[in-house]
Amino acid sequence: MKVAIVGASGAVGQEFLRILDERNFPMDELVLFGSERSAGRKYTFRGKDIEVKLLKHGDDFKDIDIAFTSAGAGTSKEFADDITRYGAVMIDNSSAFRMDDDVPLVVPECNAEDALKRPRGIIANPNCTTIMMVVVLQPLEKISHIKRIHVASYQSASGAGAAAMAELEQQYREILDGKEPTIKKFPHQLAYNVIPQIDVFQPNGYTKEEMKMYNETRKIMHTDAKCSAMCVRVSSLRAHSESVWIETERPISVEEAQQAIAAAPGCTLHDDPATLTYPMPLDTAGKDDVFVGRVRKDLSDENGLTFWLSGDQIRKGAALNAVQIAEYLIKVGNVK
C-alpha cells in the first residue's frame, strides 16, 4: 500500500500525518507533495524524515494506491488526471468535485457504500460543517424522516486554514499592544468579533458555504430535506459548533433522540443541563467524534427538535473523514 498526501504542509495535510500515524493506517510507503513554497520541507512520520516533493504533471502517481488531496479546488482540478491516471483513488478535500454526478460525496457513517462507485477514481470529502451535521442527523433520520433543517454555524478560524489561525492569534496580540490588527484572511477583524459571512455571497443572498450545506446534505443523505443555513465565523481558534433545528414527519421525543445519538457511530452525547454539561470548542478540539448537547423540543413546531453540536473541523471535518473513507475501501477490498 502506497499512500500520497497532496498539500502536506497545510493545516489539513499536517492533520493527515497525525491521524494516519495515530490510527496505524496500513501502508508501506508515504509520499508527500506540495507547491514550490513547501517542496523540500521535511516531516517526520513513523520515525522517518520524508521530504515534500514538488507537485507537477507527469507519472509521479503511477504506483500510488490512495491519494489524499488538500491543496485547494484549483489544484485538485488541475492534477486530478495525473493522480488517477494509473488507478489511484483520489480522496479530495476541496470543493472541486463535490456536486459532480459522477463523483461520490461520502461521510462513512451515512453513505460509505457510495464510495464504491467512482467512475473517475475520485471521492469527494464534504464541507466540514456538513460532515459534522449529517453525522448527527443520520441516527435521527432512522427514527423519522427529516423534512426541514435550519442551522446556524459558529465556525472557528481553523476553517480558513493554518494562516487564518495564526492571523487570529496575531490580531489579539496586536490589539492588546495597542496596534491596528492585521486583516488578510478574513473580510473584517475577527478578534473580539463575529463575522456573518463565510465564503462569497451568491445571487440568492446566501453565501457559498451556506449553499454547500443545502446541496451536500441532500446528496450525502439521499434526501429531499431542505437545509437553510446561516454560517458565521467566530473568534475561537479550532473546532466548529452548530445550532440545529429539524422538523421530522413524526415527533421525536428528547429521550429517543438522545438514545439514538448516544448509540450512533461518530457521536458522543454530552448533555446534562443540571451540571452545565454541553459541548464547547475548547473541549472538542483534537477529538474525533462530533459532540452533541442541548437536545430539546422545538417550542415553535410540534414535530421539531433542536440541538447543539461541536466538533474538530480539521479532524472529523476534514482529514479524519477522508482517512475513514480510505479505511472503508481497504476493509471491503476496493482499492487497486
Side-chain angles (χ1 to χ4, degrees), residues 87-194:
V89 180
M90 177 179 176
I91 304 178
D92 184 54
N93 199 60
S94 80
S95 61
F97 310 107
R98 288 174 183 160
M99 297 313 299
D100 290 6
D101 291 337
D102 54 357
V103 174
L105 184 68
V106 177
V107 176
E109 292 88 345
C110 299
N111 65 328
E113 296 83 1
D114 287 1
L116 303 179
K117 187 178 180 181
R118 46 179 194 278
R120 293 164 61 184
I122 302 170
I123 301 168
N125 211 31
N127 183 49
C128 52
T129 45
T130 306
I131 290 175
M132 292 190 289
M133 183 176 72
V134 299
V135 167
V136 183
L137 292 183
Q138 187 67 24
L140 302 176
E141 171 72 16
K142 291 179 179 178
I143 300 173
S144 178
H145 175 53
I146 298 168
K147 296 165 62 178
R148 290 183 184 84
I149 306 158
H150 291 86
V151 55
S153 71
Y154 304 80
Q155 298 179 222
S156 63
S158 61
M165 297 168 73
E167 181 172 304
L168 176 60
E169 293 179 314
Q170 180 182 359
Q171 284 182 356
Y172 276 118
R173 286 194 297 268
E174 289 169 339
I175 292 168
L176 291 171
D177 289 340
K179 301 175 183 177
E180 282 292 314
T182 299
I183 302 172
K184 292 181 179 177
K185 297 297 293 184
F186 305 106
H188 303 281
Q189 173 189 319
L190 183 58
Y192 299 110
N193 195 23
V194 297

Side-chain angles (χ1 to χ4, degrees), residues 315-336:
R315 290 184 75 88
K316 183 54 185 174
L320 174 61
N321 194 75
V323 171
Q324 288 173 321
I325 293 170
E327 289 173 338
Y328 171 76
L329 296 179
I330 293 170
K331 179 181 177 181
V332 300
N334 195 245
V335 183
K336 73 170 185 177

Side-chain angles (χ1 to χ4, degrees), residues 12-310:
V12 176
Q14 290 294 291
E15 201 66 29
F16 272 127
L17 289 170
R18 283 187 284 270
I19 290 172
L20 290 170
D21 190 27
E22 289 170 8
R23 297 174 75 88
N24 197 27
F25 189 87
M27 72 176 86
D28 301 300
E29 185 177 351
L30 178 64
V31 186
L32 306 180
F33 292 95
S35 65
E36 290 184 357
R37 188 175 61 228
S38 59
R41 293 183 188 177
K42 291 184 179 180
Y43 296 104
T44 302
F45 181 76
R46 295 179 181 173
K48 293 176 60 178
D49 287 340
I50 304 175
E51 185 172 322
V52 178
K53 299 175 65 175
L54 177 64
L55 180 66
K56 62 184 187 300
H57 295 291
D59 296 334
D60 284 344
F61 290 86
K62 188 172 184 179
D63 298 320
I64 298 295
D65 297 288
I66 296 172
F68 298 106
T69 55
S70 186
T75 299
S76 292
K77 289 179 180 178
E78 180 181 350
F79 289 95
D81 288 343
D82 296 272
I83 293 169
T84 60
R85 181 179 300 132
Y86 297 102
V89 180
M90 177 179 176
I91 304 178
D92 184 54
N93 199 60
S94 80
S95 61
F97 310 107
R98 288 174 183 160
M99 297 313 299
D100 290 6
D101 291 337
D102 54 357
V103 174
L105 184 68
V106 177
V107 176
E109 292 88 345
C110 299
N111 65 328
E113 296 83 1
D114 287 1
L116 303 179
K117 187 178 180 181
R118 46 179 194 278
R120 293 164 61 184
I122 302 170
I123 301 168
N125 211 31
N127 183 49
C128 52
T129 45
T130 306
I131 290 175
M132 292 190 289
M133 183 176 72
V134 299
V135 167
V136 183
L137 292 183
Q138 187 67 24
L140 302 176
E141 171 72 16
K142 291 179 179 178
I143 300 173
S144 178
H145 175 53
I146 298 168
K147 296 165 62 178
R148 290 183 184 84
I149 306 158
H150 291 86
V151 55
S153 71
Y154 304 80
Q155 298 179 222
S156 63
S158 61
M165 297 168 73
E167 181 172 304
L168 176 60
E169 293 179 314
Q170 180 182 359
Q171 284 182 356
Y172 276 118
R173 286 194 297 268
E174 289 169 339
I175 292 168
L176 291 171
D177 289 340
K179 301 175 183 177
E180 282 292 314
T182 299
I183 302 172
K184 292 181 179 177
K185 297 297 293 184
F186 305 106
H188 303 281
Q189 173 189 319
L190 183 58
Y192 299 110
N193 195 23
V194 297
I195 303 172
Q197 176 197 348
I198 297 178
D199 216 322
V200 296
F201 283 99
Q202 304 298 289
N204 64 358
Y206 285 78
T207 65
K208 201 171 180 181
E209 182 87 352
E210 292 157 354
M211 292 310 301
K212 289 175 186 175
M213 297 195 76
Y214 178 94
N215 292 313
E216 293 180 20
T217 298
R218 291 162 69 91
K219 183 174 180 179
I220 296 163
M221 296 184 68
H222 302 286
T223 182
D224 60 355
K226 295 180 178 179
C227 177
S228 181
M230 168 71 84
C231 294
V232 181
R233 186 75 69 193
V234 299
S235 55
S236 60
L237 192 62
R238 178 163 172 165
H240 291 352
S241 301
E242 303 173 29
S243 288
V244 185
W245 292 258
I246 61 171
E247 180 184 336
T248 51
E249 286 188 341
R250 74 159 177 85
I252 298 177
S253 71
V254 170
E255 293 73 23
E256 277 184 294
Q258 289 174 323
Q259 290 172 9
I261 292 167
C267 293
T268 294
L269 186 69
H270 204 61
D271 191 10
D272 184 11
T275 58
L276 308 185
T277 299
Y278 34 71
M280 295 182 292
L282 280 176
D283 303 319
T284 60
K287 307 286 178 58
D288 287 348
D289 276 6
V290 179
F291 289 73
V292 186
R294 298 295 313 277
V295 181
R296 59 202 190 279
K297 295 294 292 183
D298 184 343
L299 298 179
S300 69
D301 186 343
E302 64 181 19
N303 284 17
L305 196 73
T306 184
F307 55 87
W308 169 264
L309 66 85
S310 184

